[in-house]
Amino acid sequence: MFEIREIGSQYINELYAIQQDVFEEGYDENLLRKNSLIDFQNVFYQNHLVLGAFLKDRLVAFAILLINPSNNELIEEASSFLQIKKNLNLAVAKVIIVKKQYRGHGLQQHFLKLFEKYCFNHEIEMIVASVSPLNIYSLHNFKLKGFKIVGKSKLYGGYLRYILFKKV
Protein backbone atom coordinates (compact mmCIF):
# COMPACT_ATOMS: atom_id res chain seq x y z
CA MET A 1 0.00 0.00 0.00
CA PHE A 2 2.68 2.53 1.04
CA GLU A 3 5.98 2.96 -0.75
CA ILE A 4 8.77 3.96 1.61
CA ARG A 5 11.95 5.38 0.14
CA GLU A 6 14.81 7.68 0.93
CA ILE A 7 14.06 11.28 0.00
CA GLY A 8 16.21 14.35 -0.60
CA SER A 9 16.17 18.06 0.04
CA GLN A 10 13.63 18.69 -2.73
CA TYR A 11 11.00 17.59 -0.16
CA ILE A 12 11.88 20.15 2.53
CA ASN A 13 8.74 22.23 1.97
CA GLU A 14 6.53 19.12 2.06
CA LEU A 15 8.15 17.91 5.30
CA TYR A 16 7.49 21.28 6.85
CA ALA A 17 3.89 21.38 5.55
CA ILE A 18 3.12 17.93 6.99
CA GLN A 19 4.47 19.04 10.36
CA GLN A 20 2.37 22.22 10.19
CA ASP A 21 -0.75 20.14 9.45
CA VAL A 22 -0.11 18.11 12.61
CA PHE A 23 0.13 21.24 14.73
CA GLU A 24 -3.04 22.64 13.15
CA GLU A 25 -4.80 19.42 14.26
CA GLY A 26 -4.18 20.44 17.84
CA TYR A 27 -0.78 18.98 18.62
CA ASP A 28 1.46 21.23 20.63
CA GLU A 29 5.09 21.10 21.65
CA ASN A 30 4.21 19.19 24.81
CA LEU A 31 3.53 16.26 22.45
CA LEU A 32 5.90 16.83 19.54
CA ARG A 33 8.90 19.05 18.97
CA LYS A 34 8.14 21.72 16.39
CA ASN A 35 10.95 22.12 13.88
CA SER A 36 11.46 25.30 11.89
CA LEU A 37 11.92 25.30 8.15
CA ILE A 38 15.60 26.04 8.83
CA ASP A 39 15.77 22.96 11.10
CA PHE A 40 14.56 20.84 8.18
CA GLN A 41 17.03 22.49 5.81
CA ASN A 42 19.90 21.88 8.24
CA VAL A 43 19.16 18.14 8.29
CA PHE A 44 20.41 17.91 4.71
CA TYR A 45 23.75 19.49 5.67
CA GLN A 46 24.42 16.69 8.17
CA ASN A 47 24.95 12.97 7.83
CA HIS A 48 21.35 11.78 7.74
CA LEU A 49 18.70 9.41 6.51
CA VAL A 50 15.33 10.88 5.56
CA LEU A 51 12.59 8.44 4.65
CA GLY A 52 9.26 9.27 3.09
CA ALA A 53 6.12 7.16 2.92
CA PHE A 54 4.17 7.68 -0.27
CA LEU A 55 0.67 6.71 -1.28
CA LYS A 56 0.07 7.13 -5.00
CA ASP A 57 3.11 9.44 -5.29
CA ARG A 58 1.86 11.64 -2.43
CA LEU A 59 4.07 12.07 0.65
CA VAL A 60 1.98 11.11 3.68
CA ALA A 61 4.64 10.53 6.36
CA PHE A 62 8.33 11.00 6.96
CA ALA A 63 11.09 10.09 9.37
CA ILE A 64 14.49 11.68 9.99
CA LEU A 65 17.54 9.94 11.42
CA LEU A 66 20.68 11.98 12.17
CA ILE A 67 23.98 10.10 12.08
CA ASN A 68 26.64 11.12 14.63
CA PRO A 69 25.26 14.67 14.93
CA SER A 70 27.45 17.28 16.58
CA ASN A 71 26.17 19.71 19.21
CA ASN A 72 22.97 17.75 19.74
CA GLU A 73 20.94 18.57 22.86
CA LEU A 74 19.47 15.07 23.08
CA ILE A 75 22.85 13.33 22.93
CA GLU A 76 24.23 15.65 25.59
CA GLU A 77 21.29 14.87 27.86
CA ALA A 78 21.38 11.14 27.07
CA SER A 79 25.05 11.10 28.05
CA SER A 80 24.05 11.87 31.62
CA PHE A 81 22.01 8.63 31.70
CA LEU A 82 24.10 6.39 29.42
CA GLN A 83 27.79 5.62 29.19
CA ILE A 84 28.34 7.04 25.70
CA LYS A 85 31.93 6.70 24.53
CA LYS A 86 33.41 9.61 22.59
CA ASN A 87 33.99 7.58 19.43
CA LEU A 88 30.69 5.67 19.57
CA ASN A 89 28.81 5.63 16.27
CA LEU A 90 25.27 6.63 17.12
CA ALA A 91 22.15 8.00 15.53
CA VAL A 92 19.32 10.22 16.70
CA ALA A 93 15.75 9.54 15.66
CA LYS A 94 14.96 13.23 15.18
CA VAL A 95 11.32 13.11 14.14
CA ILE A 96 8.66 10.82 12.72
CA ILE A 97 5.40 12.37 11.54
CA VAL A 98 2.43 10.64 9.94
CA LYS A 99 -0.52 12.59 8.54
CA LYS A 100 -3.63 12.00 10.63
CA GLN A 101 -5.61 10.09 8.00
CA TYR A 102 -2.73 7.58 7.56
CA ARG A 103 -2.10 6.76 11.22
CA GLY A 104 -2.84 3.26 12.42
CA HIS A 105 -1.05 1.54 9.53
CA GLY A 106 2.18 0.85 11.42
CA LEU A 107 4.21 3.48 9.58
CA GLN A 108 6.06 4.70 12.66
CA GLN A 109 7.06 1.15 13.59
CA HIS A 110 8.11 0.48 10.01
CA PHE A 111 10.27 3.62 9.97
CA LEU A 112 11.93 2.51 13.22
CA LYS A 113 12.61 -0.93 11.74
CA LEU A 114 14.22 0.72 8.69
CA PHE A 115 16.29 3.00 10.95
CA GLU A 116 17.59 -0.05 12.78
CA LYS A 117 18.42 -1.87 9.54
CA TYR A 118 20.25 1.20 8.22
CA CYS A 119 22.23 1.52 11.46
CA PHE A 120 23.14 -2.17 11.45
CA ASN A 121 24.36 -1.95 7.84
CA HIS A 122 26.42 1.17 8.61
CA GLU A 123 27.96 -0.09 11.89
CA ILE A 124 26.06 2.42 14.01
CA GLU A 125 25.89 1.04 17.51
CA MET A 126 23.04 2.92 19.15
CA ILE A 127 19.90 4.90 18.35
CA VAL A 128 18.79 7.61 20.77
CA ALA A 129 15.36 9.25 20.76
CA SER A 130 13.14 11.48 22.85
CA VAL A 131 9.39 11.06 23.27
CA SER A 132 6.92 13.12 25.25
CA PRO A 133 5.36 11.19 28.15
CA LEU A 134 2.04 12.53 26.80
CA ASN A 135 2.59 10.98 23.35
CA ILE A 136 1.39 7.52 24.32
CA TYR A 137 1.22 6.19 20.76
CA SER A 138 4.82 7.06 19.92
CA LEU A 139 6.01 5.80 23.29
CA HIS A 140 4.19 2.52 22.68
CA ASN A 141 5.72 2.16 19.21
CA PHE A 142 9.26 2.83 20.40
CA LYS A 143 8.86 0.30 23.22
CA LEU A 144 7.48 -2.28 20.78
CA LYS A 145 10.63 -1.87 18.69
CA GLY A 146 12.84 -2.53 21.73
CA PHE A 147 13.73 0.98 22.84
CA LYS A 148 14.31 1.43 26.57
CA ILE A 149 13.58 4.51 28.64
CA VAL A 150 16.75 5.61 30.42
CA GLY A 151 15.61 8.90 31.87
CA LYS A 152 13.32 11.87 31.81
CA SER A 153 14.45 15.43 31.16
CA LYS A 154 13.33 18.83 29.97
CA LEU A 155 14.51 19.41 26.40
CA TYR A 156 13.87 21.74 23.47
CA GLY A 157 13.09 24.80 25.55
CA GLY A 158 11.70 23.10 28.64
CA TYR A 159 9.42 20.34 27.32
CA LEU A 160 9.39 17.12 29.33
CA ARG A 161 10.69 14.14 27.35
CA TYR A 162 11.59 10.53 27.99
CA ILE A 163 15.03 9.69 26.69
CA LEU A 164 15.10 6.33 24.97
CA PHE A 165 17.82 4.23 23.39
CA LYS A 166 18.36 1.00 21.60
CA LYS A 167 21.60 -0.83 20.93
CA VAL A 168 21.81 -2.02 17.36
Side-chain angles (χ1 to χ4, degrees), residues 85-103:
K85 299 176 280 182
K86 276 264 190 231
N87 59 347
L88 181 73
N89 281 329
L90 60 82
V92 171
K94 179 174 174 60
V95 65
I96 300 172
I97 298 180
V98 179
K99 285 185 146 196
K100 185 177 185 175
Q101 60 269 40
Y102 303 103
R103 294 180 196 148

Side-chain angles (χ1 to χ4, degrees), residues 11-147:
Y11 287 95
I12 287 172
N13 289 330
E14 285 183 70
L15 302 178
Y16 185 71
I18 289 172
Q19 177 193 252
Q20 292 306 101
D21 289 347
V22 167
F23 281 96
E24 287 174 12
E25 293 167 9
Y27 270 67
D28 65 32
E29 290 196 70
N30 286 307
L31 284 170
L32 178 68
R33 179 183 183 187
K34 191 172 192 176
N35 294 282
S36 69
L37 186 57
I38 291 170
D39 291 332
F40 284 118
Q41 291 168 342
N42 287 339
V43 163
F44 292 95
Y45 293 107
Q46 301 177 55
N47 194 0
H48 65 277
L49 173 67
V50 180
L51 299 173
F54 292 83
L55 184 62
K56 299 179 182 173
D57 295 324
R58 185 169 170 233
L59 184 65
V60 298
F62 68 90
I64 299 174
L65 184 73
L66 301 178
I67 315 304
N68 291 317
S70 59
N71 300 322
N72 184 278
E73 180 180 4
L74 176 57
I75 291 175
E76 289 175 23
E77 195 62 31
S79 295
S80 66
F81 297 104
L82 298 166
Q83 300 298 323
I84 298 178
K85 299 176 280 182
K86 276 264 190 231
N87 59 347
L88 181 73
N89 281 329
L90 60 82
V92 171
K94 179 174 174 60
V95 65
I96 300 172
I97 298 180
V98 179
K99 285 185 146 196
K100 185 177 185 175
Q101 60 269 40
Y102 303 103
R103 294 180 196 148
H105 294 280
L107 286 170
Q108 187 177 43
Q109 288 182 42
H110 195 66
F111 282 136
L112 291 171
K113 179 181 170 185
L114 292 171
F115 281 176
E116 188 173 353
K117 181 179 178 183
Y118 177 90
C119 289
F120 180 81
N121 291 337
H122 290 84
E123 299 179 356
I124 295 166
E125 302 167 61
M126 181 186 298
I127 303 172
V128 179
S130 67
V131 176
S132 167
L134 303 173
N135 194 336
I136 57 173
Y137 300 108
S138 289
L139 192 56
H140 175 75
N141 287 330
F142 273 88
K143 286 180 173 181
L144 277 177
K145 297 316 270 178
F147 283 77

